[in-house]
Amino acid sequence: MSETVSLEDLYTDLHAHPELGFQEHRTAAIAAERMRQLGLSVTEGIGGTGVAAVLENGTGPVVWLRADMDGLPVEEKTGLDYASTATAVDAEGIETPVMHACGHDMHVTWLIGTMERLAAERDTWSGTVVAIFQPAEETIVGAKAMIDDGLLDRVPRPSIVLGQHVAPFPAGIISLTSGAAMAGVDDVTVTLHGRGGHGSRPETTIDPVLAAASTVVRLQSIVSREVTPGKLAVLTVGRLHAGSKSNIIPDDATLDISIRTIDQEIRDRVLGSVRRIVEGEAAASGMTTPPTITVNMSAPATVNSAEHTEILRASFADAWGSSIIDYGTVSGSEDVGLLATAAGVPLVFWITGGSDPETVMTAQAAGRFEQDIPSNHSPYFAPILHPTIERGVDALVLGARTFLGAP
């Protein structure tokens, strides 16, 4: 892709060509090529499909800027001219539609634009900037994969890690939160082992579908009845898979569960309650084989350095005034914090708006924000192009300059 391609064209191209985690070969190649066009040192294939590009400009701090690249197994319904029609085969061998339903295409666009700006304005700062294009954030394994593949030994070690995420705030708004900015996540798979048989003779079976349905209902009591009111905890059963035909009672039923918490004590309590309920429902159903409970992956809460967040807040406020807000802790999760933790350095991660301000204002006035403004992971999620692109690049450039040295 030519260096003359605008950021708008870059974004719409990335949006139309999403790729699942660890399949981001096209996206990674575009990012690497754009970085090479700037004359940067580029390393590809870190942790599978990760890319790191180093912009050295004299002595000074080392700032890492991170963008995630992967899309989601979602069928796009935005109706945009550049909407995705892509499909892919997922890790389970199932063909699925793919969409940038979480804005990672915008994140890549922001980071490329930021590196282009910083490279063009070397006389305004001193130090080193490392662009990290990370795979597989949606499965919370990409940051760890890059770390495990020697990221910290393959590029200059950071003084600080910065990043941002697009969300359905009004475009132009930025939310900065000190401390816990995003929740930690545990992804859990539960399999209930029953005894299959003919749908007309349920008395000869142990029905895992009924047990799974009861389990889903009972799991919803954990947050409402076992977590202290005011403490952040979210439990979602995102998938229930069982059976192949209406007249066959299957042997097994599988639940995929997402748990979000910040406090370690709450996390332990919720995970313990999940195990108790699953095992209890299996016993109540007369299952003779214990259920299988697997924690597939976990990531800690995304915790911003209070000191560095307030330094950046001052920079942003000087530039944009009342457009800088503090939304508080978000119940979504990220693995960007692992990069900072592995390096032993501060993290500042913020949220940048991407929705049409007038549309948001109208929805809020009508009390219909949740219904009318598509959220991340919705098949209708699509940030407006402008000023989302410009504000995101400006924020990442200013963020980097805030922690870099003077020329």
Side-chain angles (χ1 to χ4, degrees):
M1 185 172 289
S2 169
E3 63 184 348
T4 62
V5 173
S6 71
L7 292 181
E8 178 178 324
D9 290 341
L10 170 65
Y11 169 77
T12 56
D13 176 75
L14 293 173
H15 186 87
H17 299 91
E19 297 166 295
L20 295 177
F22 293 130
Q23 299 181 24
E24 310 98 335
H25 301 289
R26 182 181 187 275
T27 306
I30 289 172
E33 178 59 23
R34 293 286 283 242
M35 296 299 95
R36 287 197 184 94
Q37 289 170 358
L38 299 175
L40 307 191
S41 171
V42 177
T43 305
E44 298 180 76
I46 307 174
T49 47
V51 176
V54 180
L55 171 56
E56 294 181 325
N57 188 36
T59 60
V62 178
V63 176
W64 280 15
L65 305 178
R66 178 274 207 167
D68 37 15
M69 300 186 291
D70 52 326
L72 283 160
V74 173
E75 182 178 1
E76 182 159 358
K77 298 179 181 178
T78 63
L80 293 167
D81 292 342
Y82 51 90
S84 169
T85 59
T87 62
V89 177
D90 67 16
E92 297 177 358
I94 300 171
E95 185 171 7
T96 178
V98 185
M99 176 194 175
H100 269 302
C102 201
H104 297 185
D105 46 351
M106 185 63 72
H107 304 171
V108 172
T109 301
W110 282 339
L111 184 50
I112 288 174
T114 295
M115 297 303 287
E116 290 175 345
R117 175 98 61 85
L118 290 171
E121 299 175 354
R122 286 180 172 91
D123 59 341
T124 65
W125 59 276
S126 178
T128 298
V129 181
V130 181
I132 306 293
F133 297 92
Q134 182 203 303
E137 183 278 332
E138 293 295 352
T139 50
I140 313 292
V141 293
K144 184 177 186 301
M146 293 188 77
I147 293 164
D148 290 347
D149 199 21
L151 175 63
L152 288 164
D153 298 320
R154 299 170 77 169
V155 298
R157 296 176 74 92
S159 308
I160 191 169
V161 176
L162 305 177
Q164 64 182 336
H165 201 301
V166 69
F169 296 153
I173 297 293
I174 293 175
S175 174
L176 266 171
T177 298
S178 294
M182 302 184 77
V185 61
D186 291 282
D187 183 88
V188 181
T189 295
V190 169
T191 301
L192 293 160
H193 304 288
R195 184 171 65 241
H198 201 290
S200 68
R201 299 189 65 204
E203 74 279 6
T204 68
T205 73
I206 300 174
D207 189 349
V209 178
L210 178 58
S214 297
T215 300
V216 170
V217 173
R218 186 59 186 248
L219 288 173
Q220 301 310 310
S221 72
I222 294 175
V223 173
S224 66
R225 288 296 176 267
E226 300 187 39
V227 174
T228 303
K231 294 285 189 179
L232 191 151
V234 179
L235 186 151
T236 296
V237 180
R239 184 168 69 163
L240 193 167
H241 179 77
S244 59
K245 201 170 184 294
S246 63
N247 65 347
I248 301 173
I249 295 173
D251 283 331
D252 301 315
T254 299
L255 309 177
D256 286 333
I257 305 166
S258 178
I259 299 167
R260 315 291 172 130
T261 56
I262 295 172
D263 184 271
Q264 183 64 38
E265 180 183 351
I266 298 298
R267 174 180 180 262
D268 292 343
R269 180 181 298 179
V270 172
L271 286 171
S273 297
V274 168
R275 179 172 295 278
R276 185 194 74 240
I277 288 170
V278 169
E279 291 176 347
E281 291 292 346
S285 299
M287 292 179 174
T288 56
T289 301
T292 303
I293 304 172
T294 305
V295 179
N296 303 307
M297 60 85 180
S298 300
T302 301
V303 180
N304 284 337
S305 161
E307 175 188 353
H308 296 83
T309 298
E310 296 314 311
I311 291 171
L312 189 57
R313 190 189 309 281
S315 292
F316 282 1
D318 285 344
W320 300 301
S322 61
S323 293
I324 309 307
I325 65 172
D326 186 346
Y327 185 81
T329 305
V330 176
S331 56
S333 303
E334 260 281 355
D335 63 354
V336 63
L338 296 177
L339 300 176
T341 300
V345 301
L347 168 74
V348 184
F349 190 78
W350 63 91
I351 307 295
T352 299
S355 294
D356 176 65
E358 184 175 340
T359 302
V360 172
M361 187 179 302
T362 300
Q364 288 176 330
R368 291 186 53 83
F369 179 84
E370 287 78 11
Q371 295 89 341
D372 294 348
I373 306 300
S375 67
N376 300 74
H377 291 213
S378 162
Y380 299 98
F381 181 79
I384 61 170
L385 299 180
H386 308 287
T388 307
I389 292 174
E390 293 79 7
R391 179 52 56 90
V393 172
D394 289 345
L396 211 52
V397 168
L398 181 54
R401 284 180 173 159
T402 297
F403 297 106
L404 287 164

